[in-house]
Amino acid sequence: MLMDDMGWGDLGVFGHPAKETPNLDKMAAEGLLLPDFYSANPLCSPSRAALLTGRLPIRNGFYSDNAHARNAYTPQTIVGGIPDEEILFPELLQKTGYTNKIIGKWHLGQQAQYHPLLHGFDEWFGAPNCHFGPFDDKSQPNIPVYRNAEMIGRYYEEFEITKNGESNLTQMYTQEATDFIYRLSSDKQPFLLYWAVDATHDPLYASKKFLGTSQRGLYGDAMRELDWGVGEILKALETAQVLDNTLVIFSSDNGAATYAKTGGGSNGPFLCGKETTLEGGMREPTIAYWPGKIKPGVSHQLGSLMDIFTTTLDLAGVELPKDRIIDGVNLAPVLFGNESIIDRPIFYYRGDELMAVRVQDYKAHLWTWSNSLEEYHRGTDFCPGQDVANLTNHDQQNHTAQPILIHLGRDPGEKFHISPSSAEYKQMMPRILEVVNKHHSEMKKGKPQLNYCDSSVMNWAPPGCEKMNKCLPIPKSKEYKCTWTH
Amino acid sequence: MLMDDMGWGDLGVFGHPAKETPNLDKMAAEGLLLPDFYSANPLCSPSRAALLTGRLPIRNGFYSDNAHARNAYTPQTIVGGIPDEEILFPELLQKTGYTNKIIGKWHLGQQAQYHPLLHGFDEWFGAPNCHFGPFDDKSQPNIPVYRNAEMIGRYYEEFEITKNGESNLTQMYTQEATDFIYRLSSDKQPFLLYWAVDATHDPLYASKKFLGTSQRGLYGDAMRELDWGVGEILKALETAQVLDNTLVIFSSDNGAATYAKTGGGSNGPFLCGKETTLEGGMREPTIAYWPGKIKPGVSHQLGSLMDIFTTTLDLAGVELPKDRIIDGVNLAPVLFGNESIIDRPIFYYRGDELMAVRVQDYKAHLWTWSNSLEEYHRGTDFCPGQDVANLTNHDQQNHTAQPILIHLGRDPGEKFHISPSSAEYKQMMPRILEVVNKHHSEMKKGKPQLNYCDSSVMNWAPPGCEKMNKCLPIPKSKEYKCTWTH
């Protein structure tokens, strides 16, 4: 269950004062809470590509080097997508007999060759891009919604999202999930369900039943409906009698969008949010759940969405690919209590740059940047109300010669730098830099997939549009370098 | 159980990423969590005086008007203390047969006439002031520790707190508590236990067993030991078979001391901390616990430490004093599920000034101030890493003509002001100002107790010092106006 732009602090169990997530809080109480779990990137497309490939975006190509340290993603003008050479874990599961379904947002490329059914999934109900819109059909078509290989409508057309945020999408996504679970379970077939819902991503939405029910406004309405959906899915697993044979993982793709002001989520005590390599940008609200197999509790294991690749394959008895570096770690020994902590670093990338690294409780910032002064003055603030010298700066700062060191145990909010002249700094920094140097020396960057844009690749005439009479004329191709401003 | 400088965000259940409070989290899971609970003041002495009298410090005299909107407390030079005219709820409980004990910090005046045994308590083990020190005996004596009406030693002398933070005080306070519970329960006597421990107040301490065990450093060690103590007390209530007949309330006296850098606690997603009337200064981590009587859950009832006065007396069947205004509200109907929410405002005072008021989910700031620029430049920062225009300002700003409006449901971090030109502002502000005007019109200020200081009133020769040969020469009296800098 991968949420979209949901923050670490949005769940009751992670401290949101509204405490409006009873199903997730119950799931956490009965499962393993992972407060130190990270996405591989502070933005959606690279984060999702990393989850599915078990590899950092810098390896799988989900980055841009058009400019230094820029976040890039897959708007509908993007030319690239997930390369065929990349192995997604559903592909490997498929080979051992799993039936795989993705429900919701794909975001690994909107051109047909990048679609989920060519990359390990058997079924798809959802969309290739964000549900931005409504568009005008002339300069931009609305995003198509797919049922498997063909579109069955578009957002704002067949799939309504009203101006005041009413939409039945979370209801549909939940129904799709429980239907799939019942169907596969009754056939006694192994399955992978990738529930990639997006109600907490701008533009926010909730169904009529949930609109106006949260003390948090529309964002909270969306949260409450997703929490309801999680409850429905767990109930379906129980009713279908597969709960004792199913690993459920709940997480989010990146930090809450703090720039959305009160329309965004909460990153709890952490600094900044989405788009940044501060903790608010990449720390994810994560729960692992498997009653009878995973003991209820809390683990401070450093985890990454990429670990889902490795852990899942281990559980399914599938060997890892040997021809490439896999960044994901097998968390099974920790989940099942056989090992307390696996010592592994967390790498915080922004585009083509390694911005920071975490080793145990220490985080070293090698580069820092919130966004440019121009962007900031235009009203985009990734750190509203927050101001920490040399961390929330509006110029790109290179600290590689003397990284900024934070102890995340004593200082989860990254407010207090450890002095470079301290014994603690002198003891830890060489160990961290060793990890960094090893990482750099072994790095083989993938070909960047997010460099080029072109209006002709937009969702003008997706597969299936003929049947619906929804094909739009495709403009002439004119490739250009995408502009990534932050 | 009243903690000292513990923040809303310090408990696992309130979202601290370290999740090192298993006993409190269990207490919360089995009790009623109150995320919208407040102290009556962002500083210790006034907060404690308000708790015990059920009245705002501006009424009970625990404030100073030496300067505008200044936090004052009871250092050992303070001349004033709790006036005899004030009625403390233990006094009223005593009359109906309760035996009352305070363990830990009193802070309602250190001169003998202000001591707990003259103000409703039958027993005392603890100290009148903060455990600052060690002092030099010439300009300042160390703070005495009392057993009932007489001192039995002093901090840093008979009661050790080492430089590295080792002390057995929490162990002692816990032992005192469980002993008291067993003794009174075996006699089938009704009792009030006021467990006012202070390990999370600077200077932090923990016993050897807990030192170095937290990922949060010394503050976390102190937290872990207090959490252990809470567990021991609940266990004692169970073993003594009085758990089904005892209301337990856990809270803290004010927000975490954010200026203590990594040595202070966490206020979670809230702005600033102790000393301020921003949420971080007065929102308290509160749990009400009474298995079988209070249903497990969460209540967004706006609560105040002053409500403990009113609620406790109601439960004991004692009538409230009729000759004075009591600010505390009887929360019993909410605790026991007979009423969902009692509509009541929260008043945020700093010294002699009403700084802000909360009505339902709306908070209006009438005055704002973090601290002076001089203090700030000397290194005292009440809002480290935080910067919100017109809220974290270093000059006292008067917003009474156009208060700053925040919706705490959508914006618990107080980052986004609601525009005065919005319909929402125009609808809510008159309702809030009505509450403010009513409050002001009914206000009869108490005589300020925290205006005068004098070296001669310090703990030179406390009762009992003769027996111990620990009396120090008392200097000549010279009263002066205390200086309250923030």
Side-chain angles (χ1 to χ4, degrees), chain A residues 440-452:
Chain A
H440 282 314
S441 71
E442 291 170 3
M443 176 56 63
K444 279 186 202 154
K445 292 187 184 179
K447 190 184 161 213
Q449 294 295 319
L450 309 180
N451 276 356
Y452 291 98

Side-chain angles (χ1 to χ4, degrees), chain B residues 10-46:
Chain B
D10 275 326
L11 279 60
V13 68
F14 283 114
H16 198 284
K19 290 263 174 197
E20 292 178 335
T21 54
N23 292 294
L24 283 161
D25 295 354
K26 184 167 177 282
M27 180 183 174
E30 296 168 356
L32 187 68
L33 200 68
L34 293 154
D36 295 78
F37 206 92
Y38 291 86
S39 71
N41 201 271
L43 206 65
C44 37
S45 298

Side-chain angles (χ1 to χ4, degrees), chain A residues 1-4 6 11 14 23-24 27-28 31-35 37-39 51 89 93 181 191-197 226 229-230 233-234 237 243 245-253 284-291 294 303-315 329-332 334-336:
Chain A
M1 299 166 160
L2 188 76
M3 303 299 110
D4 203 340
M6 189 181 285
L11 279 58
F14 283 115
N23 291 293
L24 282 162
M27 181 184 175
L32 188 69
L33 201 67
L34 293 153
F37 206 92
Y38 290 86
S39 72
L51 183 161
F89 76 92
L93 290 179
I181 289 167
F191 65 84
L192 167 73
L193 170 61
Y194 177 34
W195 198 56
V197 288
L226 291 170
V230 167
I233 289 173
L234 296 187
L237 290 171
L243 201 53
N245 200 25
T246 306
L247 169 63
V248 187
I249 297 176
F250 177 94
S251 196
S252 180
D253 65 343
E284 306 306 331
T286 308
I287 305 165
Y289 179 85
W290 191 344
I294 294 177
S304 163
L305 286 177
M306 298 183 293
D307 301 344
I308 293 174
F309 180 101
T310 317
T311 307
T312 304
L313 291 180
D314 175 65
L315 290 176
V329 162
N330 179 11
L331 293 184
V334 173
L335 296 184
F336 307 131

Side-chain angles (χ1 to χ4, degrees), chain B residues 373-413:
Chain B
L373 257 184
E374 295 90 310
E375 282 267 302
Y376 176 71
H377 286 316
R378 273 200 296 268
T380 303
D381 189 352
F382 294 151
C383 313
Q386 298 176 319
D387 182 14
V388 180
N390 298 319
L391 281 189
T392 60
N393 40 290
H394 293 289
D395 53 331
Q396 293 194 350
Q397 288 183 5
N398 181 350
H399 301 284
T400 50
Q402 190 179 72
I404 293 173
L405 187 65
I406 304 276
H407 187 281
L408 290 173
R410 301 193 301 264
D411 179 22

Side-chain angles (χ1 to χ4, degrees), chain A residues 48 109 112 159-160 224 338 370 474:
Chain A
R48 287 154 195 260
F159 295 88
E160 206 173 14
R224 289 197 65 237
N338 304 322
S370 59
I474 301 173

Side-chain angles (χ1 to χ4, degrees), chain B residues 108-183:
Chain B
L108 265 62
Q110 86 290 353
Q111 295 197 72
Q113 67 269 33
Y114 301 126
H115 280 184
L117 266 58
L118 295 174
H119 293 271
F121 288 94
D122 301 282
E123 303 180 18
W124 183 20
F125 176 72
N129 312 85
C130 286
H131 55 283
F132 294 138
F135 297 126
D136 60 9
D137 281 0
K138 280 176 190 159
S139 64
Q140 278 194 80
N142 276 318
I143 305 297
V145 175
Y146 282 77
R147 158 88 55 212
N148 302 326
E150 296 192 344
M151 76 174 276
I152 54 168
R154 293 183 192 265
Y155 288 136
Y156 304 95
E157 297 172 20
E158 290 75 12
F159 295 89
E160 205 174 18
I161 305 170
T162 71
K163 260 190 191 169
N164 70 344
E166 187 180 333
S167 174
N168 284 325
L169 281 164
T170 299
Q171 294 292 320
M172 289 181 209
Y173 291 150
T174 304
Q175 183 75 45
E176 284 284 326
T178 54
D179 284 355
F180 177 72
I181 289 167
Y182 286 126
R183 174 158 47 88

Side-chain angles (χ1 to χ4, degrees), chain A residues 386-397:
Chain A
Q386 297 175 319
D387 183 14
V388 180
N390 298 321
L391 282 188
T392 61
N393 40 290
H394 292 290
D395 53 331
Q396 293 194 350
Q397 289 183 5

